[in-house]
Amino acid sequence: MAVPTEFSGVVLSLENTIYPDEKLQETPSQLDGLSKEMETNLRIAGCEYIQAAGILLKLPQVAMATAQVLYQRYYYSKSFVKYNYEICAMACIFLAAKIEEHPRRIRDVVNVFYHIRRKLNELPNKVMDYMSNEYFHKKSEVIKAERRVLKELGFCVHVKHPHKCIVTYLKILECNDNTELIQKAWNYMNDSLRTDVFMRYTPETIACACIYLSARQLGIGLPSNPPWYEVFDATTKEMEVYLLIVSVIDSVDMLIYQVKYVVDIIAS
Amino acid sequence: MHNQNLDSIKVKTLEEILQEKRNRSRSDSENIAETEDSPGSQFLTDTINFITKNVTSDTKDETTSAALELDEGEIISSGEENLNHIDDTKPTKRNHASQNDELDDYEEGEIKDRDEVERKEEFVPAADSSIISNRQISTTKLPPYLPAVQGCRSVEAFEWLNRIEEGTYGVVYRAKDLKSDEVVALKRLKMEKEREGFPITSLREINTLLKADHPNIVHVREIVVGSNMDKIYIVMEYVEHDLKTLMESMSQPFSISEVKCLMKQLLSAVQHLHDNWILHRDLKTSNLLLSHQGILKVGDFGLAREYGSPLKVYTSIVVTLWYRCPELLLGVKEYSTAVDMWSVGCIFGEFLVKKPLFPGKSEIDQLNKIFKDLGTPNDQIWSGFSELPVAKKVTFTEQPYNRLRDRFGAYLTDQGFDLLNRFLTYDPKKRISAEDALNHEYFQQEPRPLDPSMFPTWPAKSELMKRPSKANRSPTAPEGGGMCKIAGAADGFRITYATQGKAAGGAGFNLKF
C-alpha cells in the first residue's frame, strides 16, 4: 500500500483494529482479479489449516485464534495472488505461538504443514528431509512471511479475544452453570474466526453475539428490557449485533458446505 | 495513555446511553416514564458495578473455565483488558491515576500537550466507521497514520543524528523525524543470528512497552523497518540522560531530596508495571533515563515479560548481576514482582552514594557481597532458604549481622534506612511492594522530594558521540549477552556535534561538575 504523504501523527493502538467498510469491501486480492468466492475459500482454507496445525502442534486455542485473526488481517493489506496462503498460514501460527508465549520450533511448524498436505493428497506419512532444499526453502519463506505480517500489521499483533468476555458475561447473566450454553457460545466464537468479524467488531460485541445466538438456539431467555447486550458494550447499537449475527450465521452455513475437511481427515 | 483515553471515551458513551434511555422512555410514555425507567437504568448500573467487582476479583481467579480448554494465563490477561473500558472504577487504575496526578502536575506542559494531541488523533475502534470519520474530520484536518492498518513506516522517514548506546538487545541511535522535526531515539533490534524467526524477546519488549504507557516509562511512538525488512527499529521518545552515565559525570552524589524525587518516579513506574502484570526483570541505573525536565523514565524492556497468576516457571537467569536478587542467585524458578523490588533497592543505594551497592564479579561473589553486608540468611528470617537449589549445594560463611547501616551512616535517616532494608529483605514474600514503598514515611520526612522541574540539568552526553568508558560499565544483562563491538560511525550516518545539537542551544544549564 502506498504510504500517504500527509497525516497528522502516528497512532499505535493496543485495541483490536477495526477496519472501515471500504477496506473490507475492496480487498487487494479482488483488485488483482481474484473472485470474491475464491478469496473467501482461501480465507477459510487458511484458517482451517491453522486450526489443524495448531491442534497437531498442541497449541492452546488462543494461539490458533490469534493466528487466524492475523491471517485474515494480513490479506486486507496484501493479495492472495501475490502471497501464498499456505506460507502465510504457517507464518501466522508460528508467530502467534510466540505471541501467546507457547513458542514452537519452525521445523515443527513446517513439518506439520507438510504432514497435513500429504494427508489431504492421501499420500502416506513421511517426515520431511531436513537437509533437503525443499525444507530449507520453506523455512526461509516462512521467516520472510513472518516479517511481512509484522510489518503490514504495524507490530500491533496482540489480539484481544472475546473468550474471557463470554465467560464473564455469562457469569453476570447468571448462566455460568449452563455448560451447554458456554460450549455453544464458545463454538460460535471459534467459528467466527473464519470470517471477517474480528476486523469489523470489538471483542465485546462478538462475545455478545455469540451468547445471543447460543441462547436463542437453546431457547434460553435473557433480559430484553433493556436488551442485556447494551450493558456490555456501550458503543454497540442493536443493528451492529444483528449485522454480526447475520454474518456469523452466513459463515456457519458456508462452513457446512466447506466441511471441515482438514480436521476430519486428521482425526481419521 | 492510549488506554486511559479510550477508557474515558467509552465511559462517556455509556453514560450517554443511560441518559438516552431515560430520555427515550420519557418521550415514549410520559406518564409512566419516571417509574418505568428507573428499574431499567438501575439494572444497567447494577450490572456495571457487578462487572467492575467481578473483573478485579476475576483477574486472579484461576478456577473459572477449566473445562474450556484454554490457557488461563493468556485469557485472563487479555480478558482483563477487554473489560477495562467498562470499569472506570477499577481500584488499581484509579490509585495509579491519583498517584500520577502529582507527576502530571510537575510536567504539566509536556504531558498535557501530548495528551491533547493523542485525544485528537486517537483511532477509536468503534464499529461504525462513519462515526470514526466524523469525529476525525471534526477534530483534525489530517487523518492519523495507523500502522495497524497501513503497515510500518520506513526508517527512511528519519534522519540519522548519532549513535547513543548499545543496549542489551540492540544499538540505539538519535534521529530526527523528517515529518515532525522531532528528535527521537531509534533502537535497532538485533536480528542477525535468529534461527527461529522474529525473536520472542523482541515481541515481548514491544508488547510490554506498548502496554506500559506511563509518564515514567519511555514512550514508544512506532516501529519502523529498513528497506529490506532486514532491520527493525523501535521509535521511542528521546530522553537526554541515562542515570548511570550521568552519575559518573557528577563529582558528588545526588542530594537527598533529589534521590527522593528520583525514587518516587521510579516506584511509580514500577507500580504501574506490576499493576499491569508486567515484570521488568532488568532494572538498573543504566536503564533509567532522565530528561532535561527532571522526569525519570524506565527504558529497555528487553527482558520484560507478562506474568500471571498462578506463577509459571521462568528462567532464573535474568536481571543484570549487580541488581539480581538473592532468590534468583540461589536458583529459584518461580518468582514475581519482588525481583524488581530488590533491584529498586540496589538502585536506591546507588543513588545515595553514587557507587553500585553490590558490584559482584560472579554469581557466588555476588551472593558473598550481599551476605557480607546483610548477614547470611537462615530459615528463621527466610523460610525455605535451606531448600533453595544453590543453598543446598554451597555452604556460605556465617556472617550473622546486618552491617548495611555502616555504609550509609551519613546519608540516611532511620526512616530511609528502614526503607532500604525493606527493599533488601531476603524473603521475597516479605519484601516491600512498590505501592507500599511509595507510601513509606521516608518520603514524608524532611527534606521533601524535589519537584522534577527544579531538578538540575546537565549537558547531554548522548548528543556528543562520547561513549561511556568501558571500565565503569555495569555488566550486561543476561541472555542478550556478548556485546558486539561495532566500530565508530562506520555505517555512514550523518553525525552532528553539540554545536548543532540540542545541548548547544539549551539555555539555562546548571552545570554541576
Side-chain angles (χ1 to χ4, degrees):
Chain A
M1 179 188 274
V3 177
T5 44
E6 288 307 316
F7 53 87
S8 52
V10 179
V11 178
L12 284 181
S13 172
L14 276 173
E15 299 296 321
N16 286 357
T17 318
I18 309 296
Y19 291 156
D21 240 11
E22 309 88 77
K23 199 165 162 112
L24 294 172
Q25 292 306 326
E26 221 175 47
T27 65
S29 310
Q30 283 168 42
L31 289 176
D32 276 349
L34 199 73
S35 74
K36 196 171 166 51
E37 291 67 43
M38 191 60 197
E39 170 162 11
T40 313
N41 285 347
L42 283 172
R43 284 182 184 275
I44 292 175
C47 287
E48 290 295 341
Y49 247 132
I50 289 171
Q51 184 66 31
I55 292 168
L56 290 176
L57 288 163
K58 296 192 168 68
L59 285 167
Q61 179 61 35
V62 70
M64 279 90 100
T66 301
Q68 290 171 15
V69 174
L70 298 182
Y71 176 83
Q72 295 274 10
R73 276 195 204 158
Y74 179 72
Y75 282 111
Y76 286 105
S77 299
K78 291 285 176 215
S79 156
F80 278 107
V81 178
K82 291 183 186 125
Y83 297 95
N84 178 290
Y85 82 101
E86 195 184 333
I87 295 287
C88 178
M90 291 162 94
C92 286
I93 192 77
F94 179 53
L95 175 60
K98 285 189 271 196
I99 292 169
E100 303 300 343
E101 297 286 350
H102 291 272
R104 292 292 181 270
R105 290 188 309 170
I106 189 156
R107 173 192 284 206
D108 295 337
V109 174
V110 173
N111 208 19
V112 158
F113 273 77
Y114 181 76
H115 174 74
I116 296 173
R117 176 157 278 272
R118 285 186 73 85
K119 277 277 181 198
L120 282 174
N121 295 332
E122 295 176 348
L123 293 166
N125 287 348
K126 194 178 139 220
V127 179
M128 200 170 189
D129 177 7
Y130 297 122
M131 306 309 276
S132 69
N133 272 341
E134 190 193 356
Y135 170 72
F136 185 79
H137 182 70
K138 270 258 154 59
K139 188 177 132 177
S140 71
E141 286 286 297
V142 173
I143 288 180
K144 267 188 249 161
E146 183 193 29
R147 289 203 199 172
R148 268 201 303 274
V149 170
L150 284 167
K151 178 187 176 244
E152 291 308 324
L153 304 183
F155 284 83
C156 301
V157 289
H158 290 81
V159 183
K160 288 182 183 171
H161 293 295
H163 299 74
K164 177 71 174 181
C165 294
I166 290 182
V167 175
T168 320
Y169 292 178
L170 285 175
K171 215 182 231 176
I172 295 160
L173 294 164
E174 292 170 1
C175 293
N176 52 322
D177 293 333
N178 191 335
T179 42
E180 201 185 358
L181 180 64
I182 298 175
Q183 190 59 54
K184 254 220 156 53
W186 205 260
N187 293 346
Y188 270 120
M189 146 62 235
N190 285 334
D191 284 344
S192 64
L193 285 164
R194 273 80 159 168
T195 74
D196 61 6
V197 291
F198 279 80
M199 277 106 264
R200 288 180 187 273
Y201 304 100
T202 61
E204 295 81 4
T205 310
I206 296 169
C208 286
C210 292
I211 294 172
Y212 184 98
L213 281 169
S214 335
R216 198 176 62 172
Q217 212 181 352
L218 297 172
I220 297 168
L222 295 171
S224 57
N225 192 26
W228 58 272
Y229 45 81
E230 282 195 14
V231 178
F232 298 126
D233 192 325
T235 62
T236 313
K237 296 190 209 75
E238 288 148 51
M239 263 310 286
E240 282 174 21
V241 178
Y242 287 120
L243 270 177
L244 170 68
I245 289 162
V246 171
S247 65
V248 170
I249 290 175
D250 277 355
S251 72
V252 172
D253 282 347
M254 202 153 49
L255 279 177
I256 295 170
Y257 296 112
Q258 290 288 328
V259 189
K260 298 177 185 171
Y261 54 90
V262 181
V263 184
D264 287 348
I265 287 169
I266 283 159
S268 65
Chain B
M1 217 147 291
H2 298 287
N3 281 337
Q4 284 164 18
N5 284 347
L6 283 171
D7 285 351
S8 59
I9 287 164
K10 292 204 176 167
V11 167
K12 253 180 234 154
T13 37
L14 193 76
E15 281 160 5
E16 280 163 21
I17 281 202
L18 281 170
Q19 190 60 47
E20 269 172 32
K21 207 158 267 308
R22 253 173 233 132
N23 295 342
R24 209 189 302 152
S25 47
R26 259 190 209 114
S27 57
D28 280 348
S29 48
E30 274 181 12
N31 38 355
I32 47 163
E34 286 301 319
T35 42
E36 231 190 25
D37 84 320
S38 50
S41 32
Q42 188 56 43
F43 171 67
L44 280 170
T45 24
D46 278 356
T47 324
I48 292 158
N49 292 340
F50 185 86
I51 299 171
T52 312
K53 272 185 240 149
N54 211 46
V55 171
T56 29
S57 61
D58 229 44
T59 46
K60 292 202 179 185
D61 178 10
E62 204 253 320
T63 55
T64 36
S65 57
L68 300 167
E69 282 183 40
L70 238 126
D71 190 301
E72 281 297 327
E74 256 83 38
I75 283 306
I76 281 173
S77 53
S78 61
E80 186 195 3
E81 269 143 32
N82 286 344
L83 293 170
N84 267 353
H85 76 273
I86 306 176
D87 58 322
D88 57 327
T89 51
K90 189 181 171 188
T92 50
K93 279 245 158 169
R94 199 208 256 157
N95 282 348
H96 150 77
S98 62
Q99 250 145 15
N100 288 331
D101 278 349
E102 243 179 332
L103 283 165
D104 282 345
D105 288 345
Y106 290 156
E107 42 173 351
E108 236 171 359
E110 190 190 305
I111 291 299
K112 277 194 184 154
D113 280 349
R114 203 171 82 193
D115 233 346
E116 241 163 58
V117 171
E118 277 183 14
R119 205 161 289 145
K120 279 181 198 161
E121 294 165 356
E122 191 74 71
F123 176 63
V124 185
D128 189 342
S129 58
S130 66
I131 288 185
I132 300 170
S133 45
N134 282 346
R135 192 171 293 171
Q136 278 163 2
I137 289 163
S138 63
T139 51
T140 53
K141 281 171 197 150
L142 293 170
Y145 186 91
L146 305 167
V149 181
Q150 292 156 286
C152 293
R153 293 204 295 159
S154 161
V155 74
E156 282 156 26
F158 294 87
E159 177 191 329
W160 301 102
L161 298 177
N162 60 270
R163 177 150 81 203
I164 305 171
E165 58 159 42
E166 272 182 33
T168 317
Y169 282 94
V171 194
V172 184
Y173 302 93
R174 202 165 69 98
K176 194 169 80 178
D177 187 337
L178 291 171
K179 180 121 188 74
S180 62
D181 269 353
E182 288 164 290
V183 175
V184 297
L186 287 185
K187 177 173 176 176
R188 196 177 84 203
L189 298 173
K190 284 193 175 158
M191 301 276 299
E192 294 89 28
K193 39 186 181 194
E194 285 307 328
R195 285 166 55 224
E196 287 295 320
F198 193 79
I200 189 168
T201 46
S202 302
L203 283 172
R204 281 180 195 149
E205 175 170 15
I206 292 168
N207 181 35
T208 46
L209 269 168
L210 285 176
K211 279 195 178 161
D213 209 357
H214 185 269
N216 294 118
I217 291 166
V218 71
H219 176 70
V220 174
R221 297 160 54 109
E222 60 179 307
I223 287 98
V224 293
V225 293
S227 49
N228 271 336
M229 278 190 308
D230 50 345
K231 296 194 173 88
I232 292 165
Y233 304 84
I234 305 181
V235 184
M236 290 178 282
E237 61 180 323
Y238 171 68
V239 188
E240 291 84 355
H241 299 285
D242 77 84
L243 279 164
K244 167 103 185 137
T245 324
L246 182 62
M247 281 195 288
E248 276 164 19
S249 71
M250 290 159 45
S251 55
Q252 298 208 327
F254 289 115
S255 75
I256 293 298
S257 56
E258 285 165 2
V259 170
K260 283 185 185 174
C261 164
L262 294 173
M263 284 302 290
K264 274 194 88 161
Q265 298 188 60
L266 172 60
L267 286 167
S268 153
V270 174
Q271 187 198 356
H272 178 74
L273 289 178
H274 292 174
D275 278 354
N276 285 284
W277 302 89
I278 297 169
L279 299 178
H280 187 280
R281 304 200 300 182
D282 196 19
L283 291 172
K284 54 177 171 178
T285 46
S286 56
N287 281 347
L288 301 180
L289 310 174
L290 184 71
S291 77
H292 275 327
Q293 286 76 37
I295 305 297
L296 175 147
K297 296 196 188 253
V298 177
D300 203 330
F301 277 55
L303 285 179
R305 72 172 290 170
E306 290 183 272
Y307 70 101
S309 177
L311 292 173
K312 286 190 198 149
V313 169
Y314 302 135
T315 171
S316 61
I317 325 249
V318 290
V319 191
T320 303
L321 189 61
W322 296 353
Y323 305 86
R324 201 179 299 166
C325 57
E327 65 266 27
L328 286 176
L329 290 163
L330 292 167
V332 161
K333 285 250 166 36
E334 213 171 74
Y335 54 84
S336 177
T337 53
V339 300
D340 283 340
M341 297 320 294
W342 180 277
S343 308
V344 170
C346 296
I347 292 167
F348 184 25
E350 192 168 335
F351 282 163
L352 289 166
V353 296
K354 213 171 82 66
K355 276 201 295 276
L357 195 57
F358 303 122
K361 290 184 182 68
S362 65
E363 297 191 13
I364 287 295
D365 185 44
Q366 187 69 32
L367 279 170
N368 282 330
K369 281 208 160 61
I370 294 170
F371 294 166
K372 193 169 144 261
D373 276 337
L374 299 177
T376 315
N378 53 41
D379 277 335
Q380 271 104 56
I381 61 161
W382 183 358
S383 69
F385 165 73
S386 54
E387 293 302 309
L388 297 173
V390 175
K392 274 199 270 192
K393 283 185 222 144
V394 186
T395 334
F396 298 99
T397 35
E398 274 299 315
Q399 196 288 102
Y401 308 109
N402 185 332
R403 295 180 186 152
L404 194 64
R405 193 85 179 92
D406 306 344
R407 286 179 64 175
F408 291 96
Y411 298 101
L412 271 184
T413 59
D414 287 345
Q415 296 297 344
F417 185 64
D418 178 70
L419 180 60
L420 182 61
N421 259 329
R422 281 170 191 270
F423 287 132
L424 303 179
T425 300
Y426 276 126
D427 189 343
K429 285 188 212 71
K430 296 180 195 150
R431 206 171 295 152
I432 195 167
S433 71
E435 190 182 355
D436 292 344
L438 272 171
N439 295 325
H440 196 273
E441 257 179 279
Y442 181 58
F443 294 109
Q444 306 303 323
Q445 251 186 357
E446 292 298 327
R448 299 294 294 269
L450 194 70
D451 188 304
S453 62
M454 304 297 284
F455 221 85
T457 52
W458 295 266
K461 282 252 161 78
S462 51
E463 290 166 27
L464 299 174
M465 275 305 286
K466 195 179 162 186
R467 307 279 307 277
S469 57
K470 278 261 157 60
N472 289 328
R473 281 171 123 185
S474 60
T476 52
E479 279 183 40
M483 297 280 86
C484 57
K485 297 175 198 97
I486 304 167
D491 316 44
F493 297 112
R494 193 182 306 177
I495 297 156
T496 48
Y497 291 94
T499 44
Q500 295 153 24
K502 235 184 179 177
F509 277 126
N510 174 4
L511 291 178
K512 194 178 177 185
F513 283 106

